[in-house]
Amino acid sequence: MKVIQIQGGYGLTHVKQAERQIPVPGPNEVLIKVRAVSLNSRDLGVIGGFYQPDLSNPLVLTSDAVGEVVALGAQASRFSIGQRVSGIFTQSWISGEATQANWSSTLGSPLDGMLAEYVVLPEQGLVHVPDYLTDEEAATLPCAGVTAWHAIIEEGNVKAGDTVVVQGTGGVSLFALQFAKLQGASVIVTSSSDEKLEKARQLGADFGINYRVQPEWEEEVLKLTEGRGADHIIDVGGAATLNQSIAALRVGGRISIVGLLSGGSVEGFHVVPAILRRARLQAINVGSREMFESMNRAIKNHKLRPAIDRVFPFEQAIDAFKYFENGSYFGKICITL
Ligand SMILES: NC(=O)c1ccc[n+]([C@@H]2O[C@H](COP(=O)([O-])OP(=O)(O)OC[C@H]3O[C@@H](n4cnc5c(N)ncnc54)[C@H](OP(=O)(O)O)[C@@H]3O)[C@@H](O)[C@H]2O)c1
């Protein structure tokens, strides 16, 4: 079978198509024929050497996919042949609070990922996906979808009347926009592009702020909330945005620390404004299978459709990563098999 893997060094020049044996499921495992994969910012981090310091063995890329069950291990009983499933991002995190040990079970680093014609996963690490979604749409859920669900619903407790700020128009932020709208919140989207802000409005955003035109976007958030500040902010910027997120927050508001797109170390973190706002910082690390299943029920009930920018065929997988690096997308980039 064909796989896309990184080997021998970092950077896209070390990402290659390779041949491997079709894996055989163990007693409690399932063989899946992969139909579609979606890319996450983390996959570029793996390629760049940020997440996977040890590349002594080739690593199959990407965490998120959907596929069809084609064979079952002798004791596997949660799924049947022909059903459509997704692997959960953190394979061993089923429910409740995660443990440190769970972090060694994430797909696409350190475990082999999903950009392969076939994968074998433990049956406990799989979920059904909503029937009405296309394969590409369903493939966007495991990392970006579950992260946004965890931040907005499971821990964020966002409710009608709240104001939520989402930064940028990438995968996590657009899911967060959609989930916040389900709860009846008002959503402010920040973006580098007016064109993307217009697309975000079509997805339900109430207000848009172009952070290139208005680098002090926190002041605009305060204006839009009549000085009160936002109830919840999805911070994907990290270094460049966290102080601004605190400045844009209402007293007692909450920031989901999700991303590090502008760097993972915040120099000059302003403690006093954080205290004055009684800022509650909740760091998010994707989520459990139970969260994924709850999210799927909500997606199905409301017939939500993930935002997909572009789909590439498997033969052009490396072009898909190049397009992703280029940064001019809105929502998710997928690869079909
Ligand atoms: N903690 C977790 O569990 C978790 C899970 C998933 C992702 N993440 C992290 O969250 C971040 C976003 O992931 P993703 O997959 O959603 O990324 P993505 O789809 O690649 O989205 C990136 C988008 O964010 C916007 N952006 C870039 N730099 C920004 C900045 N300095 N300030 C505000 N917006 C900025 C841009 O949108 P515009 O062009 O519209 O400005 C860009 O297109 C990444 O750092 C990723 O590693 C963390």
Side-chain angles (χ1 to χ4, degrees):
M1 67 165 184
K2 298 187 190 77
V3 304
I4 302 290
Q5 62 186 27
I6 183 161
Q7 68 187 111
Y10 298 106
L12 269 176
T13 49
H14 293 277
V15 175
K16 303 254 158 61
Q17 184 174 310
E19 285 290 329
R20 291 197 189 183
Q21 293 290 322
I22 296 179
V24 177
N28 294 103
E29 293 179 330
V30 168
L31 178 67
I32 299 153
K33 186 176 194 316
V34 178
R35 290 190 190 162
V37 168
S38 80
L39 304 187
N40 287 287
S41 183
R42 173 177 178 269
D43 303 321
L44 293 180
V46 171
I47 294 169
F50 183 69
Y51 287 102
Q52 182 83 4
D54 174 19
L55 263 192
S56 41
N57 293 315
L59 176 79
V60 177
L61 291 168
T62 77
S63 55
D64 290 9
V66 75
E68 180 184 336
V69 174
V70 290
L72 298 169
Q75 286 154 35
S77 58
R78 288 188 69 227
F79 298 92
S80 37
I81 305 282
Q83 286 185 326
R84 202 167 64 141
V85 292
S86 267
I88 60 174
F89 179 86
T90 307
Q91 280 285 293
S92 62
W93 187 9
I94 305 302
S95 64
E97 184 53 277
T99 64
Q100 193 67 31
N102 291 134
W103 306 144
S104 59
S105 74
T106 51
L107 293 173
S109 170
L111 302 183
D112 267 331
M114 303 298 281
L115 199 38
E117 288 183 293
Y118 295 88
V119 295
V120 157
L121 290 176
E123 61 170 352
Q124 295 299 337
L126 298 172
V127 294
H128 292 287
V129 288
D131 288 345
Y132 73 94
L133 295 177
T134 66
D135 290 336
E136 294 77 17
E137 288 169 338
T140 66
L141 301 176
C143 178
V146 175
T147 300
W149 177 263
H150 187 176
I152 294 286
I153 307 291
E154 300 275 346
E155 297 220 25
N157 196 21
V158 167
K159 55 190 185 309
D162 283 356
T163 297
V164 174
V165 176
V166 304
Q167 296 173 351
T169 57
V172 174
S173 294
L174 291 184
F175 275 115
L177 156 65
Q178 290 179 298
F179 297 145
K181 290 309 294 179
L182 280 189
Q183 296 300 92
S186 169
V187 179
I188 301 172
V189 178
T190 71
S191 175
S192 59
S193 144
D194 287 342
E195 198 188 328
K196 292 185 189 182
L197 285 174
E198 184 46 43
K199 288 185 185 168
R201 281 196 190 89
Q202 287 161 22
L203 263 190
D206 299 272
F207 304 102
I209 305 171
N210 185 323
Y211 62 79
R212 290 261 158 80
V213 178
Q214 289 169 291
E216 277 89 33
W217 55 267
E218 71 280 16
E219 290 174 8
E220 199 58 28
V221 171
L222 292 175
K223 273 190 222 153
L224 289 168
T225 54
E226 295 166 351
R228 180 171 178 268
D231 297 274
H232 195 127
I233 299 177
I234 299 291
D235 194 287
V236 296
T241 52
L242 192 57
N243 278 319
Q244 285 176 285
S245 291
I246 287 170
L249 203 62
R250 76 158 162 87
V251 174
R254 209 179 269 261
I255 296 172
S256 285
I257 298 182
V258 172
L260 46 148
L261 289 166
S262 60
S265 168
V266 185
E267 278 182 36
F269 178 78
H270 302 318
V271 176
V272 172
I275 291 173
L276 290 176
R277 282 171 187 74
R278 249 175 31 77
R280 300 167 202 199
L281 307 186
Q282 56 178 38
I284 299 295
N285 195 351
V286 193
S288 64
R289 189 183 85 197
E290 194 175 40
M291 292 181 202
F292 197 159
E293 288 165 339
S294 304
M295 175 187 79
N296 282 346
R297 285 192 291 276
I299 287 178
K300 190 174 163 197
N301 288 348
H302 293 273
K303 293 284 180 286
L304 284 192
R305 302 213 87 114
I308 294 183
D309 179 276
R310 191 163 160 190
V311 179
F312 290 79
F314 183 80
E315 298 66 41
Q316 291 171 20
I318 292 167
D319 292 334
F321 285 111
K322 286 183 187 159
Y323 179 73
F324 195 26
E325 263 189 340
N326 170 290
S328 56
Y329 50 88
F330 176 89
K332 301 297 290 180
I333 296 161
C334 297
I335 296 169
T336 45
L337 285 92

